[in-house]
Every structure is written in C-alpha cells, then in structure tokens.
Amino acid sequence: MGTHARSPRGGGLNATGPGEKALRYVLLALMLALTVSPFLWQLSTSLKSLDEDIYSGTPSFLPEHPTLGNYAQVAETIPVWSYALNSLVVAAVVIAGNAVGATLAGYALAKLRFRGAKLLLGLFLATLVLPGEVTIVSQYVTIRGLGLADTLLGVALPGAIGMLNVLLMRTAFMAIPAEMDEAAVIDGATAWQRLLRIGLPNVRGMLSVITIFAFIGAWDDFLWPLIVLSDPENYTLTVGLQYLNGTFTANPRLIAAGTMISFVPIVIVFAALQRFFFRGVEEGAIKG
C-alpha cells in the first residue's frame, strides 16, 4: 500500500534528462577527440610520402599518397626488431614478477593473519608517496652492486613487483567473502589450497589489470633503461628510437613510424585482455 508505482517515463533521483544526456555525449566526444586525435595524426604522418609537405599552412589529415616505406626505412636505420625483442624480454620478466609477487603479497595481506601485517601494509602505502625519481639513484647503485648493470635483467628487476599492484590484488582478495575461506578452513584446506582454488579463480579480472599495467609500464619506460644500459645491442625499443630523433630531425615521418611500431604491442595486449580488464575494474574482480 505504501509503495507508489513509478511512472514509465522515469523520474526519481537517478533519472537523466535529455539535456544532461546530450551534455554527457558531448563531453565523451570531446575526450575521445583529445585522446585519439594525436594517435591518428601520428598514424597519418607515418603513412605520408616524402613529396607531401606536412608543414603546410593547412596540413592534410589523410595522406595523399599512402606508403609503408617509412616503416621499412625505420627497420633499415635501426635494428628495431632486436630492440623490440629486448623490450619483450624486459616486459615478460616484469609481468611474471608482478603476476606472482603481487598475487602472493596481496593474498597474504588480505587473508592471512600474522604479526606486523598492518605495519607492512603501511609501508606499502608509504612507498606510493615517493616518486620514482627519488629512489632511482639507490636503485642504480643496487643494480650495479649486483653486477646487473647494462643487462636486461637489471632493467626489469626494479619493476618486477609494483606496490600499487600489490594493493590492487589485496583489494581484490578482500572482496572475496570471508565465509568462503572459513568453509575451506573447516574442510581442512591449507593456505595454498585456498589461494589456488578460491582466491585465484575470483581475481582473474584484477590479475589482467595488473598484467596490462605492468606491460605498459615496462614497455614504455625510457628513463631507467637509458640509465642502466650502455651497450646499444641491449637497448630497449623506447631507448633505441631516440636515434631516429637524432639522425632524422627533418623527417618526422620516420619518428611517427617508429612511434607506431612501439604502440602496436600495447594495443595487442589490451585487445587480448580487455574483457578481463573491464571485469576487474567494474566488478571488483568478483563474479556475481
């Protein structure tokens, strides 16, 4: 009796009027233009031939004579595939370290009870306050002391476990109902069994999130590899591409082509994991 039927046309607190909906679409279109336009412009520049003037007063967005010659010239100028392989090796080590290390640390902080857990969590949070540039000198001294300077392992090791990824995994494990763990404990399951049979199946979305973050961070990193590496044969792709900027300052077509080559793997990884990524972001990595 006390319940009023809601009008089919809506109303209520969460109703969205036509004007507000139109404003949202306008803002979304604006954000899309701001984020996608530079990428499309780089793609267009990389496909333009030498007879096209990209510095004209009214530059053409679409190439008049599209060509893939710029990509071939990038491969002739620098060993781009060798640099890309070095970047893949670094990214693989970073992804493996974060997938294993962040998962174990996140599960321990979320589900295990041990002395000093709150202090340890506070230390993890404190590390997020410090920018990476503050610790880069101590990192280099440590890597050099371990004899890993000018090696791909030395590039990958500092990023092999990220504090933010640990906290993300802890949040995902915390979202698992405690009753599930309690029932498993009653059945005699060990901590490893609870992690493998209860924890991991419910955090695949968040695991995909940290995998994407770890890959992008390792693949796009420029400053740390530039400091650690001195042998050009060990250069990662981001460091190796600087030769294009130094040698061909008058030909931005090659720089744009190199940028697109370095961008493609990120698109592939995100396309492969985007279903799990959005599940981890929107649902808290827990299936209903």
Side-chain angles (χ1 to χ4, degrees):
M1 266 179 76
T3 305
H4 298 280
R6 178 170 293 185
S7 172
R9 295 191 176 180
L13 296 177
N14 294 326
T16 303
E20 183 179 352
K21 185 177 295 186
L23 178 60
R24 290 182 180 181
Y25 281 115
V26 170
L27 293 177
L28 286 174
L30 178 61
M31 291 301 300
L32 180 65
L34 291 176
T35 54
V36 176
S37 294
F39 162 75
L40 294 178
W41 181 256
Q42 285 288 88
L43 177 61
S44 173
T45 303
S46 69
L47 296 175
K48 291 181 177 180
S49 58
L50 290 175
D51 58 356
E52 296 185 54
D53 184 10
I54 63 175
Y55 295 111
S56 60
T58 55
S60 174
F61 183 77
L62 295 177
E64 297 178 3
H65 307 289
T67 177
L68 296 176
N70 295 322
Y71 292 88
Q73 192 169 350
V74 169
E76 294 173 359
T77 305
I78 62 174
V80 63
W81 307 121
S82 176
Y83 292 160
L85 180 60
N86 292 340
S87 293
L88 284 176
V89 171
V90 172
V93 174
V94 172
I95 290 174
N98 279 278
V100 176
T103 298
L104 295 178
Y107 184 79
L109 291 173
K111 295 298 183 179
L112 302 184
R113 300 293 176 263
F114 56 92
R115 183 176 300 178
K118 293 184 178 179
L119 175 61
L120 188 59
L121 177 60
L123 292 176
F124 277 121
L125 292 172
T127 59
L128 297 178
V129 180
L130 296 175
E133 290 77 7
V134 174
T135 60
I136 200 167
V137 174
S138 60
Q139 285 182 0
Y140 178 76
V141 172
T142 302
I143 292 299
R144 187 180 60 182
L146 294 173
L148 297 177
D150 199 22
T151 65
L152 297 179
L153 182 59
V155 176
L157 194 58
I161 180 168
M163 298 302 103
L164 179 60
N165 294 333
V166 172
L167 296 178
L168 289 175
M169 292 304 296
R170 175 184 178 272
T171 301
F173 284 120
M174 288 288 291
I176 300 175
E179 291 79 7
M180 298 177 65
D181 273 329
E182 294 172 358
V185 171
I186 294 175
D187 291 338
T190 63
W192 284 107
Q193 290 173 331
R194 299 198 302 273
L195 170 63
L196 295 176
R197 299 179 182 178
I198 299 176
L200 288 180
N202 285 302
V203 298
R204 286 181 297 178
M206 189 60 73
L207 193 58
S208 297
V209 171
I210 69 170
T211 297
I212 293 175
F213 285 170
F215 177 80
I216 293 176
W219 186 267
D220 283 346
D221 193 10
F222 174 76
L223 179 60
W224 177 245
L226 183 64
I227 294 175
V228 175
L229 301 176
S230 57
D231 187 355
E233 292 185 359
N234 294 330
Y235 280 176
T236 58
L237 186 57
T238 53
V239 177
L241 288 178
Q242 68 177 324
Y243 284 121
L244 295 177
N245 193 22
T247 307
F248 295 95
T249 53
N251 190 358
R253 301 167 185 82
L254 297 187
I255 300 175
T259 302
M260 296 309 303
I261 291 175
S262 66
F263 181 72
V264 168
I266 297 178
V267 176
I268 295 175
V269 170
F270 185 80
L273 298 177
Q274 58 89 18
R275 178 167 60 93
F276 299 103
F277 177 84
F278 288 112
R279 180 189 302 174
V281 172
E282 296 176 3
E283 301 179 7
I286 296 298
K287 293 185 289 187

